């Protein structure tokens, strides 16, 4: 059976999509095993096109192409790749070696697209390189070798998977005449050992070394001469077992990662820039989430300090629609307190008088807010002292000069002594410290930790000189009473103060839960906003990756063509580029997490915000960056994978 059989093969190109160029016209040809065929003809006569069709790098428009009786020109992409890998070996004019790999690894490339590289393959590659005369240069990279030597590597690579046919397109075109002769001699030697060779050349003296010379002109065969006899060999179709493409085999994945890593190394600046894009994106996500979460936690904490089922009762500076000066505002008094306590469903009413004061202990002093309140404060606001005790009802009656300190005040005045039972001065009046409140966590105005609590009566008459109460907390017995109480309190106060009905808005009764909800919602919005900003920066990073990937694909189109010629399938190319994108993102993601952490804590330290980096946010940012890599890498990778091998190889 003939090794190769072509019948009525044709291939037409259309220039600008319209003007036809008949590159091959009705080409019929048989090639027997063991032949050394030279294809000659003037430039543009269709030699390369014929070789591309023979090499399954291009598809003919019409006609038949059989290898050992099997029609091969209309197989699927995978079957075609399989045949290229197993039956054909290519030698190109431009050598097409991968510069970043040593020559042994270059020679082993066909194995990569078979069942993966093994130690036996490595040995075979070394033997082949020794056979072409490079046994002493195994560790070299292609650019450390002369043109002739590079072409020998290419020949070794073509022989690696023991193909039936070697296809060579102007293999000596880039060589000086001495190296050219050496390569031709190697071809002849290989041919004498039984390998079929098909070589395109335009040099008559090289063509004369072949056993058969076919001449093309204008896409037709115009000459076919036998120059010398060849030993008639027989070859059989090798068993083409389906390829074991297990992406998740560790060794294959490692191979992909090593390739990707090498390719990142070869283009350091570009890799650095694309990684930087992800670093900024992920860093921003981490920092934004840390600030957002920190703010949320802070608000939650200070809100939880507010207590439950609470109504806040204040006087308003607007009464009857008119703004009032502070003198004419209605003031609360002890009668109001009693009246409120009598309402149905009320558990506690806590009064407050507030003012600023200077607290002094030994040589330390601290300006803070002074609160006169009742014993019930500790229950309503969940503020049972952690050290000492709260003041008692009898102390309240006696206007005792006892003080309970917020945590921060205690820390400021007593950095290294126990505050209990010590005497401090508040606005020059002596007070004994009886307790320290638990830390509530808060900041700014009304920070519960930065306050001193004294009995209401003491504050009013001994400290602040007030005859009125600023505001009340009313705690209901259960949530069911809240709405009713909120509606009742305003009118009750209006009545108590004998105000005209028009001034019913003179009191401000608010459900703390509503305030809490509003605050929580604000913080949530704020966090979402931060998250959105971060997502946008990741998106921009992703587009950066896509951009870089597209450039990479374009730059490496030639390499893609070569890999396909050696038997790479679309999914190999796709995986390779995806792995590269993912590697960029994983690297960028890891660095970004670190930098994001540093940024968050620096911002936190400088601005005095609390920042919280949660495991979730790290995972989210990381997963998101990998997803960005896959999503934005996918399109360029698919574009790369879908190229016809011949188009990719011709791409400059
Ligand atoms: P040779 O190898 O003998 O120089 P080719 O096989 O490269 O010739 O080309 C044969 C003809 O087909 C030429 O006229 C060439 O211009 C045309 N041709 C080859 N490739 C393309 C292409 N991709 N698009 C359009 N025309 C092409």
């Amino acid at each position: 059976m003939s090794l190769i059989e072509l019948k009525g093969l044709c291939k037409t190109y259309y220039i600008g999509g319209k003007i036809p160029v008949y590159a091959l016209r009705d080409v019929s040809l048989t090639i027997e095993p063991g032949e050394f065929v030279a294809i000659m003809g003037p430039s543009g006569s269709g030699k390369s096109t014929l070789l591309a069709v023979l090499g399954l790098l291009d598809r003919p428009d019409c006609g038949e192409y059989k290898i050992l009786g099997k029609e091969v020109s209309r197989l699927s992409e995978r079957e075609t790749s399989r045949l290229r890998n197993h039956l054909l070996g290519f030698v190109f004019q431009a050598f097409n070696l991968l510069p970043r790999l040593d020559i042994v690894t270059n020679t082993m490339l066909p194995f990569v697209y078979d069942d993966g590289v093994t130690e036996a393959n490595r040995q075979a590659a070394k033997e082949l390189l020794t056979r072409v005369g490079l046994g002493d240069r195994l560790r070299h990279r292609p650019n450390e070798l002369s043109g002739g030597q590079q072409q020998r590597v290419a020949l070794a690579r073509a022989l690696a998977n023991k193909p039936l046919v070697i296809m060579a397109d102007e293999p000596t075109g880039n060589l000086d005449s001495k190296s050219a002769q050496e390569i031709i001699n190697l071809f002849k030697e290989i041919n004498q050992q039984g390998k079929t060779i098909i070589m395109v050349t335009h040099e008559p003296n090289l063509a004369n070394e072949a056993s058969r010379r076919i001449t093309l002109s204008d896409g037709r065969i115009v000459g076919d001469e036998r120059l010398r006899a060849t030993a008639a060999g027989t070859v059989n179709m090798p068993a083409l077992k389906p390829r074991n493409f297990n992406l998740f085999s560790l060794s294959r994945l490692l191979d992909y990662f090593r390739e990707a890593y090498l390719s990142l190394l070869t283009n350091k600046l570009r890799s650095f820039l694309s990684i930087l894009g992800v670093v900024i994106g992920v860093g921003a996500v981490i920092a934004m989430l840390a600030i957002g979460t920190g703010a949320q936690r802070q608000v939650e904490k200070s809100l939880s300090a507010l207590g439950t089922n609470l109504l806040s009762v204040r006087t308003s500076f607007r009464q009857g629609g008119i703004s009032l000066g502070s003198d004419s505002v209605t003031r609360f008094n002890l009668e109001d307190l009693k009246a409120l306590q009598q309402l149905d469903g009320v558990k506690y009413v806590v009064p407050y008088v507030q003012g600023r004061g200077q607290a002094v202990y030994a040589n330390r002093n601290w300006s803070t807010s002074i609160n006169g309140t009742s014993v019930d404060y500790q229950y309503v606001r969940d503020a049972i002292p952690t050290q000492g005790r709260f003041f008692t009802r009898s102390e309240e009656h006696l206007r005792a000069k006892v003080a309970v300190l917020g945590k921060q005040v205690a820390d400021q005045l007593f950095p290294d002594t126990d505050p209990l039972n010590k005497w401090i001065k508040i606005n020059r009046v002596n007070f004994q410290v009886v307790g320290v409140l638990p830390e509530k966590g808060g900041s700014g105005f009304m920070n519960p930790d930065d306050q001193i609590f004294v009995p209401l009566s003491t504050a009013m008459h001994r400290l602040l000189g007030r005859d009125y109460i600023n505001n009340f907390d009313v705690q209901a017995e259960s949530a069911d009473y809240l709405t009713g109480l909120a509606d009742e309190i305003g009118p009750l106060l209006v009545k108590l103060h004998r105000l005209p009905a028009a001034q019913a808005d003179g009191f401000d009764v608010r459900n703390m839960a509503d305030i809490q909800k509003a605050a929580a919602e604000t913080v949530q919005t704020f966090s979402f906003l931060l998250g959105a900003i971060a997502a946008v920066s990741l998106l921009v990073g992703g587009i950066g990756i896509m951009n870089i990937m597209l450039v990479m694909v374009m730059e490496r189109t030639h390499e893609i063509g070569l890999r396909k010629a050696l038997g790479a399938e679309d999914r190999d190319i796709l995986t390779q580029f995806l792995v590269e994108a993912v590697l960029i993102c994983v690297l960028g993601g890891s660095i970004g997490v670190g930098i994001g952490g540093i940024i968050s804590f620096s911002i936190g330290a400088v601005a005095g915000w609390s920042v919280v980096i949660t495991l979730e946010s790290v995972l989210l940012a990381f997963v998101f960056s990998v997803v960005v890599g896959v999503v934005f890498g996918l399109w360029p990778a698919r574009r790369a994978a879908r190229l016809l091998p011949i188009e990719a190889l011709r791409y400059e």
Side-chain angles (χ1 to χ4, degrees), residues 13-15 21 23 41-50 200 650:
Y13 292 108
Y14 291 89
I15 297 177
V21 178
S43 176
S45 58
K47 306 182 294 291
S48 299
T49 307
L50 178 58
V200 164
R650 286 210 185 116

Side-chain angles (χ1 to χ4, degrees), residues 345-366:
V346 167
K347 192 169 171 195
Y348 294 115
V349 179
V350 180
Y352 295 96
V353 285
Q354 277 140 358
R356 300 287 307 171
Q358 191 78 16
V360 181
Y361 176 74
N363 58 351
R364 303 184 72 87
N365 70 65
W366 183 245

